[in-house]
mmCIF file of all heavy atoms in Angstrom:
data_model
loop_
_atom_site.group_PDB
_atom_site.id
_atom_site.type_symbol
_atom_site.label_atom_id
_atom_site.label_comp_id
_atom_site.label_asym_id
_atom_site.label_seq_id
_atom_site.Cartn_x
_atom_site.Cartn_y
_atom_site.Cartn_z
ATOM 1 N N PHE A 9 27.402 9.573 108.339
ATOM 2 C CA PHE A 9 27.926 10.777 107.688
ATOM 3 C C PHE A 9 26.790 11.587 107.072
ATOM 4 O O PHE A 9 26.774 12.813 107.160
ATOM 5 C CB PHE A 9 28.950 10.405 106.613
ATOM 6 C CG PHE A 9 29.471 11.592 105.860
ATOM 7 C CD1 PHE A 9 30.356 12.475 106.453
ATOM 8 C CD2 PHE A 9 29.048 11.843 104.565
ATOM 9 C CE1 PHE A 9 30.821 13.588 105.765
ATOM 10 C CE2 PHE A 9 29.505 12.936 103.863
ATOM 11 C CZ PHE A 9 30.400 13.811 104.466
ATOM 12 N N GLY A 10 25.828 10.912 106.451
ATOM 13 C CA GLY A 10 24.684 11.603 105.868
ATOM 14 C C GLY A 10 23.830 12.283 106.915
ATOM 15 O O GLY A 10 23.217 13.317 106.649
ATOM 16 N N THR A 11 23.780 11.721 108.102
ATOM 17 C CA THR A 11 23.030 12.330 109.191
ATOM 18 C C THR A 11 23.730 13.573 109.704
ATOM 19 O O THR A 11 23.089 14.567 110.044
ATOM 20 C CB THR A 11 22.851 11.325 110.338
ATOM 21 O OG1 THR A 11 22.156 10.187 109.837
ATOM 22 C CG2 THR A 11 22.082 11.915 111.487
ATOM 23 N N LEU A 12 25.047 13.544 109.738
ATOM 24 C CA LEU A 12 25.803 14.673 110.268
ATOM 25 C C LEU A 12 26.213 15.686 109.202
ATOM 26 O O LEU A 12 26.810 16.706 109.531
ATOM 27 C CB LEU A 12 27.032 14.154 111.010
ATOM 28 C CG LEU A 12 26.723 13.300 112.235
ATOM 29 C CD1 LEU A 12 28.007 12.785 112.860
ATOM 30 C CD2 LEU A 12 25.916 14.076 113.251
ATOM 31 N N LEU A 13 25.904 15.431 107.943
ATOM 32 C CA LEU A 13 26.266 16.349 106.859
ATOM 33 C C LEU A 13 25.649 17.733 107.031
ATOM 34 O O LEU A 13 26.352 18.734 106.836
ATOM 35 C CB LEU A 13 25.884 15.736 105.507
ATOM 36 C CG LEU A 13 26.251 16.562 104.278
ATOM 37 C CD1 LEU A 13 27.767 16.663 104.167
ATOM 38 C CD2 LEU A 13 25.661 15.937 103.031
ATOM 39 N N PRO A 14 24.366 17.887 107.399
ATOM 40 C CA PRO A 14 23.841 19.247 107.605
ATOM 41 C C PRO A 14 24.577 20.005 108.705
ATOM 42 O O PRO A 14 24.787 21.213 108.593
ATOM 43 C CB PRO A 14 22.381 19.014 107.997
ATOM 44 C CG PRO A 14 22.040 17.700 107.429
ATOM 45 C CD PRO A 14 23.300 16.890 107.485
ATOM 46 N N VAL A 15 24.996 19.311 109.740
ATOM 47 C CA VAL A 15 25.749 19.970 110.807
ATOM 48 C C VAL A 15 27.098 20.435 110.275
ATOM 49 O O VAL A 15 27.544 21.550 110.566
ATOM 50 C CB VAL A 15 25.933 19.025 112.015
ATOM 51 C CG1 VAL A 15 26.730 19.695 113.110
ATOM 52 C CG2 VAL A 15 24.596 18.562 112.537
ATOM 53 N N LEU A 16 27.736 19.608 109.465
ATOM 54 C CA LEU A 16 29.021 19.968 108.876
ATOM 55 C C LEU A 16 28.879 21.188 107.964
ATOM 56 O O LEU A 16 29.696 22.114 108.026
ATOM 57 C CB LEU A 16 29.579 18.780 108.099
ATOM 58 C CG LEU A 16 30.948 18.961 107.455
ATOM 59 C CD1 LEU A 16 32.013 19.136 108.520
ATOM 60 C CD2 LEU A 16 31.277 17.775 106.578
ATOM 61 N N ILE A 17 27.842 21.222 107.145
ATOM 62 C CA ILE A 17 27.599 22.368 106.271
ATOM 63 C C ILE A 17 27.350 23.621 107.103
ATOM 64 O O ILE A 17 27.886 24.701 106.814
ATOM 65 C CB ILE A 17 26.408 22.088 105.331
ATOM 66 C CG1 ILE A 17 26.786 21.029 104.304
ATOM 67 C CG2 ILE A 17 25.942 23.357 104.627
ATOM 68 C CD1 ILE A 17 25.641 20.545 103.463
ATOM 69 N N PHE A 18 26.576 23.475 108.157
ATOM 70 C CA PHE A 18 26.274 24.606 109.032
ATOM 71 C C PHE A 18 27.538 25.149 109.686
ATOM 72 O O PHE A 18 27.744 26.370 109.752
ATOM 73 C CB PHE A 18 25.258 24.154 110.083
ATOM 74 C CG PHE A 18 24.746 25.257 110.951
ATOM 75 C CD1 PHE A 18 23.827 26.159 110.469
ATOM 76 C CD2 PHE A 18 25.182 25.374 112.254
ATOM 77 C CE1 PHE A 18 23.347 27.168 111.270
ATOM 78 C CE2 PHE A 18 24.706 26.376 113.061
ATOM 79 C CZ PHE A 18 23.787 27.286 112.575
ATOM 80 N N VAL A 19 28.395 24.263 110.163
ATOM 81 C CA VAL A 19 29.628 24.691 110.823
ATOM 82 C C VAL A 19 30.575 25.352 109.822
ATOM 83 O O VAL A 19 31.193 26.382 110.127
ATOM 84 C CB VAL A 19 30.305 23.495 111.533
ATOM 85 C CG1 VAL A 19 31.721 23.825 111.967
ATOM 86 C CG2 VAL A 19 29.472 23.069 112.724
ATOM 87 N N VAL A 20 30.687 24.802 108.620
ATOM 88 C CA VAL A 20 31.575 25.389 107.604
ATOM 89 C C VAL A 20 31.106 26.796 107.247
ATOM 90 O O VAL A 20 31.907 27.735 107.200
ATOM 91 C CB VAL A 20 31.650 24.478 106.353
ATOM 92 C CG1 VAL A 20 32.274 25.204 105.183
ATOM 93 C CG2 VAL A 20 32.435 23.222 106.673
ATOM 94 N N PHE A 21 29.814 26.971 106.983
ATOM 95 C CA PHE A 21 29.311 28.305 106.666
ATOM 96 C C PHE A 21 29.404 29.234 107.867
ATOM 97 O O PHE A 21 29.602 30.439 107.708
ATOM 98 C CB PHE A 21 27.873 28.238 106.146
ATOM 99 C CG PHE A 21 27.784 27.931 104.688
ATOM 100 C CD1 PHE A 21 27.336 26.700 104.265
ATOM 101 C CD2 PHE A 21 28.178 28.858 103.743
ATOM 102 C CE1 PHE A 21 27.258 26.396 102.925
ATOM 103 C CE2 PHE A 21 28.106 28.573 102.400
ATOM 104 C CZ PHE A 21 27.650 27.345 101.983
ATOM 105 N N GLY A 22 29.261 28.705 109.065
ATOM 106 C CA GLY A 22 29.426 29.524 110.264
ATOM 107 C C GLY A 22 30.853 30.008 110.411
ATOM 108 O O GLY A 22 31.096 31.146 110.815
ATOM 109 N N ARG A 23 31.811 29.152 110.082
ATOM 110 C CA ARG A 23 33.219 29.554 110.129
ATOM 111 C C ARG A 23 33.544 30.595 109.063
ATOM 112 O O ARG A 23 34.265 31.545 109.325
ATOM 113 C CB ARG A 23 34.128 28.340 109.913
ATOM 114 C CG ARG A 23 34.219 27.436 111.065
ATOM 115 C CD ARG A 23 35.257 27.964 111.971
ATOM 116 N NE ARG A 23 35.546 26.969 112.973
ATOM 117 C CZ ARG A 23 36.364 27.207 113.953
ATOM 118 N NH1 ARG A 23 36.960 28.350 114.038
ATOM 119 N NH2 ARG A 23 36.582 26.290 114.856
ATOM 120 N N LEU A 24 32.997 30.386 107.863
ATOM 121 C CA LEU A 24 33.314 31.292 106.756
ATOM 122 C C LEU A 24 32.657 32.658 106.906
ATOM 123 O O LEU A 24 33.285 33.682 106.648
ATOM 124 C CB LEU A 24 32.878 30.666 105.427
ATOM 125 C CG LEU A 24 33.665 29.446 104.956
ATOM 126 C CD1 LEU A 24 33.042 28.878 103.694
ATOM 127 C CD2 LEU A 24 35.112 29.816 104.707
ATOM 128 N N PHE A 25 31.400 32.677 107.312
ATOM 129 C CA PHE A 25 30.645 33.916 107.316
ATOM 130 C C PHE A 25 30.148 34.329 108.690
ATOM 131 O O PHE A 25 29.318 35.233 108.788
ATOM 132 C CB PHE A 25 29.431 33.777 106.378
ATOM 133 C CG PHE A 25 29.805 33.440 104.973
ATOM 134 C CD1 PHE A 25 29.563 32.172 104.474
ATOM 135 C CD2 PHE A 25 30.414 34.367 104.163
ATOM 136 C CE1 PHE A 25 29.898 31.848 103.177
ATOM 137 C CE2 PHE A 25 30.759 34.061 102.862
ATOM 138 C CZ PHE A 25 30.509 32.790 102.372
ATOM 139 N N GLY A 26 30.644 33.719 109.733
ATOM 140 C CA GLY A 26 30.149 33.990 111.078
ATOM 141 C C GLY A 26 30.376 35.416 111.531
ATOM 142 O O GLY A 26 29.512 36.037 112.127
ATOM 143 N N ARG A 27 31.517 35.966 111.233
ATOM 144 C CA ARG A 27 31.813 37.333 111.675
ATOM 145 C C ARG A 27 30.966 38.358 110.921
ATOM 146 O O ARG A 27 30.570 39.364 111.490
ATOM 147 C CB ARG A 27 33.280 37.622 111.499
ATOM 148 C CG ARG A 27 34.163 36.691 112.306
ATOM 149 C CD ARG A 27 35.486 37.354 112.648
ATOM 150 N NE ARG A 27 36.405 36.413 113.247
ATOM 151 C CZ ARG A 27 36.356 36.033 114.517
ATOM 152 N NH1 ARG A 27 35.421 36.480 115.288
ATOM 153 N NH2 ARG A 27 37.233 35.183 115.002
ATOM 154 N N GLN A 28 30.685 38.107 109.668
ATOM 155 C CA GLN A 28 29.843 39.023 108.892
ATOM 156 C C GLN A 28 28.411 39.007 109.383
ATOM 157 O O GLN A 28 27.716 40.010 109.311
ATOM 158 C CB GLN A 28 29.866 38.633 107.411
ATOM 159 C CG GLN A 28 31.218 38.795 106.767
ATOM 160 C CD GLN A 28 31.222 38.256 105.347
ATOM 161 O OE1 GLN A 28 30.212 37.792 104.857
ATOM 162 N NE2 GLN A 28 32.373 38.312 104.705
ATOM 163 N N MET A 29 27.959 37.873 109.869
ATOM 164 C CA MET A 29 26.575 37.733 110.319
ATOM 165 C C MET A 29 26.341 38.477 111.637
ATOM 166 O O MET A 29 25.219 38.835 111.944
ATOM 167 C CB MET A 29 26.212 36.262 110.501
ATOM 168 C CG MET A 29 26.326 35.432 109.264
ATOM 169 S SD MET A 29 25.004 35.676 108.137
ATOM 170 C CE MET A 29 23.728 34.758 108.928
ATOM 171 N N ARG A 30 27.377 38.725 112.431
ATOM 172 C CA ARG A 30 27.204 39.384 113.725
ATOM 173 C C ARG A 30 27.001 40.885 113.571
ATOM 174 O O ARG A 30 26.514 41.530 114.465
ATOM 175 C CB ARG A 30 28.416 39.121 114.611
ATOM 176 C CG ARG A 30 28.461 37.712 115.096
ATOM 177 C CD ARG A 30 29.533 37.552 116.145
ATOM 178 N NE ARG A 30 29.682 36.137 116.426
ATOM 179 C CZ ARG A 30 30.801 35.478 116.328
ATOM 180 N NH1 ARG A 30 31.913 36.092 115.973
ATOM 181 N NH2 ARG A 30 30.855 34.189 116.586
ATOM 182 N N GLY A 31 27.421 41.436 112.444
ATOM 183 C CA GLY A 31 27.311 42.876 112.225
ATOM 184 C C GLY A 31 25.897 43.288 111.891
ATOM 185 O O GLY A 31 24.915 42.665 112.280
ATOM 186 N N ALA A 32 25.803 44.367 111.153
ATOM 187 C CA ALA A 32 24.489 44.883 110.757
ATOM 188 C C ALA A 32 23.785 43.889 109.835
ATOM 189 O O ALA A 32 24.416 43.246 109.003
ATOM 190 C CB ALA A 32 24.660 46.213 110.052
ATOM 191 N N SER A 33 22.487 43.783 109.981
ATOM 192 C CA SER A 33 21.735 42.804 109.200
ATOM 193 C C SER A 33 21.540 43.231 107.757
ATOM 194 O O SER A 33 21.095 42.440 106.940
ATOM 195 C CB SER A 33 20.389 42.529 109.851
ATOM 196 O OG SER A 33 19.627 43.707 109.850
ATOM 197 N N THR A 34 21.829 44.480 107.407
ATOM 198 C CA THR A 34 21.629 44.926 106.029
ATOM 199 C C THR A 34 22.672 44.347 105.084
ATOM 200 O O THR A 34 22.406 44.196 103.902
ATOM 201 C CB THR A 34 21.667 46.455 105.951
ATOM 202 O OG1 THR A 34 22.937 46.909 106.454
ATOM 203 C CG2 THR A 34 20.535 47.062 106.743
ATOM 204 N N GLY A 35 23.833 44.005 105.574
ATOM 205 C CA GLY A 35 24.892 43.497 104.709
ATOM 206 C C GLY A 35 24.902 41.982 104.558
ATOM 207 O O GLY A 35 25.766 41.443 103.893
ATOM 208 N N ILE A 36 23.959 41.301 105.177
ATOM 209 C CA ILE A 36 23.927 39.841 105.120
ATOM 210 C C ILE A 36 23.281 39.402 103.816
ATOM 211 O O ILE A 36 22.174 39.825 103.501
ATOM 212 C CB ILE A 36 23.139 39.255 106.309
ATOM 213 C CG1 ILE A 36 23.816 39.640 107.616
ATOM 214 C CG2 ILE A 36 23.038 37.745 106.190
ATOM 215 C CD1 ILE A 36 23.025 39.274 108.829
ATOM 216 N N PRO A 37 23.964 38.584 103.043
ATOM 217 C CA PRO A 37 23.340 38.083 101.819
ATOM 218 C C PRO A 37 22.137 37.203 102.129
ATOM 219 O O PRO A 37 22.091 36.511 103.152
ATOM 220 C CB PRO A 37 24.441 37.249 101.161
ATOM 221 C CG PRO A 37 25.682 37.541 101.896
ATOM 222 C CD PRO A 37 25.317 38.135 103.210
ATOM 223 N N ARG A 38 21.149 37.218 101.241
ATOM 224 C CA ARG A 38 19.933 36.437 101.432
ATOM 225 C C ARG A 38 20.247 34.941 101.486
ATOM 226 O O ARG A 38 19.586 34.181 102.184
ATOM 227 C CB ARG A 38 18.947 36.717 100.307
ATOM 228 C CG ARG A 38 17.644 35.976 100.475
ATOM 229 C CD ARG A 38 16.681 36.303 99.349
ATOM 230 N NE ARG A 38 15.393 35.700 99.571
ATOM 231 C CZ ARG A 38 15.085 34.453 99.250
ATOM 232 N NH1 ARG A 38 15.966 33.687 98.677
ATOM 233 N NH2 ARG A 38 13.886 33.972 99.488
ATOM 234 N N ALA A 39 21.281 34.525 100.762
ATOM 235 C CA ALA A 39 21.636 33.104 100.729
ATOM 236 C C ALA A 39 22.034 32.603 102.114
ATOM 237 O O ALA A 39 21.850 31.440 102.426
ATOM 238 C CB ALA A 39 22.766 32.861 99.744
ATOM 239 N N LEU A 40 22.573 33.459 102.944
ATOM 240 C CA LEU A 40 22.990 33.033 104.280
ATOM 241 C C LEU A 40 21.892 33.216 105.319
ATOM 242 O O LEU A 40 21.735 32.396 106.219
ATOM 243 C CB LEU A 40 24.233 33.799 104.710
ATOM 244 C CG LEU A 40 25.493 33.501 103.920
ATOM 245 C CD1 LEU A 40 26.621 34.363 104.422
ATOM 246 C CD2 LEU A 40 25.857 32.039 104.034
ATOM 247 N N SER A 41 21.137 34.283 105.218
ATOM 248 C CA SER A 41 20.160 34.564 106.263
ATOM 249 C C SER A 41 18.887 33.745 106.122
ATOM 250 O O SER A 41 18.281 33.381 107.113
ATOM 251 C CB SER A 41 19.817 36.053 106.266
ATOM 252 O OG SER A 41 19.199 36.405 105.044
ATOM 253 N N VAL A 42 18.477 33.428 104.904
ATOM 254 C CA VAL A 42 17.219 32.720 104.699
ATOM 255 C C VAL A 42 17.437 31.346 104.076
ATOM 256 O O VAL A 42 16.895 30.349 104.546
ATOM 257 C CB VAL A 42 16.269 33.562 103.797
ATOM 258 C CG1 VAL A 42 14.996 32.803 103.507
ATOM 259 C CG2 VAL A 42 15.963 34.893 104.440
ATOM 260 N N ASP A 43 18.227 31.288 103.036
ATOM 261 C CA ASP A 43 18.341 30.057 102.261
ATOM 262 C C ASP A 43 19.115 28.953 102.972
ATOM 263 O O ASP A 43 18.804 27.782 102.803
ATOM 264 C CB ASP A 43 19.002 30.336 100.906
ATOM 265 C CG ASP A 43 18.126 31.206 100.023
ATOM 266 O OD1 ASP A 43 16.924 31.296 100.307
ATOM 267 O OD2 ASP A 43 18.646 31.791 99.055
ATOM 268 N N LEU A 44 20.119 29.294 103.752
ATOM 269 C CA LEU A 44 20.917 28.264 104.423
ATOM 270 C C LEU A 44 20.108 27.458 105.439
ATOM 271 O O LEU A 44 20.157 26.231 105.418
ATOM 272 C CB LEU A 44 22.155 28.874 105.074
ATOM 273 C CG LEU A 44 23.096 27.891 105.741
ATOM 274 C CD1 LEU A 44 23.658 26.915 104.716
ATOM 275 C CD2 LEU A 44 24.214 28.623 106.442
ATOM 276 N N PRO A 45 19.316 28.084 106.311
ATOM 277 C CA PRO A 45 18.499 27.259 107.229
ATOM 278 C C PRO A 45 17.464 26.411 106.493
ATOM 279 O O PRO A 45 17.217 25.262 106.875
ATOM 280 C CB PRO A 45 17.823 28.291 108.136
ATOM 281 C CG PRO A 45 18.665 29.495 108.053
ATOM 282 C CD PRO A 45 19.256 29.498 106.690
ATOM 283 N N ILE A 46 16.879 26.954 105.426
ATOM 284 C CA ILE A 46 15.908 26.182 104.647
ATOM 285 C C ILE A 46 16.594 25.014 103.967
ATOM 286 O O ILE A 46 16.097 23.881 103.978
ATOM 287 C CB ILE A 46 15.202 27.085 103.620
ATOM 288 C CG1 ILE A 46 14.309 28.084 104.340
ATOM 289 C CG2 ILE A 46 14.384 26.258 102.635
ATOM 290 C CD1 ILE A 46 13.723 29.137 103.445
ATOM 291 N N PHE A 47 17.761 25.262 103.382
ATOM 292 C CA PHE A 47 18.517 24.206 102.720
ATOM 293 C C PHE A 47 18.897 23.112 103.708
ATOM 294 O O PHE A 47 18.778 21.920 103.409
ATOM 295 C CB PHE A 47 19.774 24.792 102.075
ATOM 296 C CG PHE A 47 20.713 23.763 101.542
ATOM 297 C CD1 PHE A 47 20.386 23.018 100.421
ATOM 298 C CD2 PHE A 47 21.930 23.528 102.159
ATOM 299 C CE1 PHE A 47 21.249 22.063 99.926
ATOM 300 C CE2 PHE A 47 22.794 22.580 101.672
ATOM 301 C CZ PHE A 47 22.458 21.849 100.549
ATOM 302 N N THR A 48 19.320 23.497 104.880
ATOM 303 C CA THR A 48 19.718 22.521 105.887
ATOM 304 C C THR A 48 18.519 21.691 106.342
ATOM 305 O O THR A 48 18.622 20.471 106.474
ATOM 306 C CB THR A 48 20.357 23.236 107.080
ATOM 307 O OG1 THR A 48 21.410 24.081 106.606
ATOM 308 C CG2 THR A 48 20.929 22.259 108.065
ATOM 309 N N SER A 49 17.379 22.322 106.535
ATOM 310 C CA SER A 49 16.170 21.588 106.934
ATOM 311 C C SER A 49 15.741 20.604 105.852
ATOM 312 O O SER A 49 15.370 19.463 106.144
ATOM 313 C CB SER A 49 15.028 22.557 107.222
ATOM 314 O OG SER A 49 15.391 23.446 108.227
ATOM 315 N N LEU A 50 15.781 21.045 104.602
ATOM 316 C CA LEU A 50 15.431 20.150 103.497
ATOM 317 C C LEU A 50 16.405 18.986 103.395
ATOM 318 O O LEU A 50 16.012 17.859 103.101
ATOM 319 C CB LEU A 50 15.388 20.927 102.176
ATOM 320 C CG LEU A 50 14.184 21.831 101.986
ATOM 321 C CD1 LEU A 50 14.334 22.657 100.716
ATOM 322 C CD2 LEU A 50 12.907 21.032 101.946
ATOM 323 N N LEU A 51 17.678 19.250 103.627
ATOM 324 C CA LEU A 51 18.679 18.193 103.577
ATOM 325 C C LEU A 51 18.433 17.145 104.656
ATOM 326 O O LEU A 51 18.554 15.945 104.398
ATOM 327 C CB LEU A 51 20.078 18.793 103.722
ATOM 328 C CG LEU A 51 21.258 17.926 103.374
ATOM 329 C CD1 LEU A 51 21.164 17.469 101.924
ATOM 330 C CD2 LEU A 51 22.545 18.689 103.584
ATOM 331 N N ILE A 52 18.044 17.573 105.837
ATOM 332 C CA ILE A 52 17.725 16.639 106.918
ATOM 333 C C ILE A 52 16.525 15.778 106.529
ATOM 334 O O ILE A 52 16.538 14.551 106.670
ATOM 335 C CB ILE A 52 17.452 17.396 108.234
ATOM 336 C CG1 ILE A 52 18.732 17.996 108.783
ATOM 337 C CG2 ILE A 52 16.826 16.473 109.271
ATOM 338 C CD1 ILE A 52 18.515 18.944 109.936
ATOM 339 N N GLY A 53 15.482 16.406 106.018
ATOM 340 C CA GLY A 53 14.279 15.658 105.636
ATOM 341 C C GLY A 53 14.509 14.693 104.491
ATOM 342 O O GLY A 53 14.070 13.535 104.527
ATOM 343 N N VAL A 54 15.215 15.145 103.471
ATOM 344 C CA VAL A 54 15.481 14.287 102.313
ATOM 345 C C VAL A 54 16.374 13.113 102.692
ATOM 346 O O VAL A 54 16.147 11.986 102.246
ATOM 347 C CB VAL A 54 16.101 15.119 101.167
ATOM 348 C CG1 VAL A 54 16.688 14.240 100.085
ATOM 349 C CG2 VAL A 54 15.064 16.044 100.576
ATOM 350 N N SER A 55 17.366 13.349 103.528
ATOM 351 C CA SER A 55 18.241 12.246 103.921
ATOM 352 C C SER A 55 17.491 11.205 104.748
ATOM 353 O O SER A 55 17.709 10.000 104.593
ATOM 354 C CB SER A 55 19.460 12.769 104.686
ATOM 355 O OG SER A 55 19.082 13.268 105.944
ATOM 356 N N ALA A 56 16.573 11.652 105.605
ATOM 357 C CA ALA A 56 15.793 10.708 106.408
ATOM 358 C C ALA A 56 14.874 9.861 105.535
ATOM 359 O O ALA A 56 14.823 8.635 105.675
ATOM 360 C CB ALA A 56 14.985 11.454 107.468
#
């Protein structure tokens, strides 16, 4: 479960904000465009 947790977080945020991300890039919050991939990468490294 700890190994698949980043994938689960990624899928949940993709479901919640996926349609907003496809539009213009000016309306994308920084937390989704930059922080989410960094957070997911850190979560993978820390769990390992």
Side-chain angles (χ1 to χ4, degrees):
F9 177 73
T11 301
L12 297 177
L13 182 65
V15 179
L16 182 65
I17 290 172
F18 186 75
V19 168
V20 166
F21 276 108
R23 286 275 191 185
L24 291 175
F25 302 108
R27 299 207 188 281
Q28 295 174 1
M29 300 284 284
R30 288 189 189 124
S33 63
T34 58
I36 298 172
R38 182 179 186 276
L40 293 178
S41 64
V42 177
D43 294 342
L44 183 62
I46 292 172
F47 172 70
T48 307
S49 302
L50 286 174
L51 194 59
I52 290 170
V54 167
S55 69

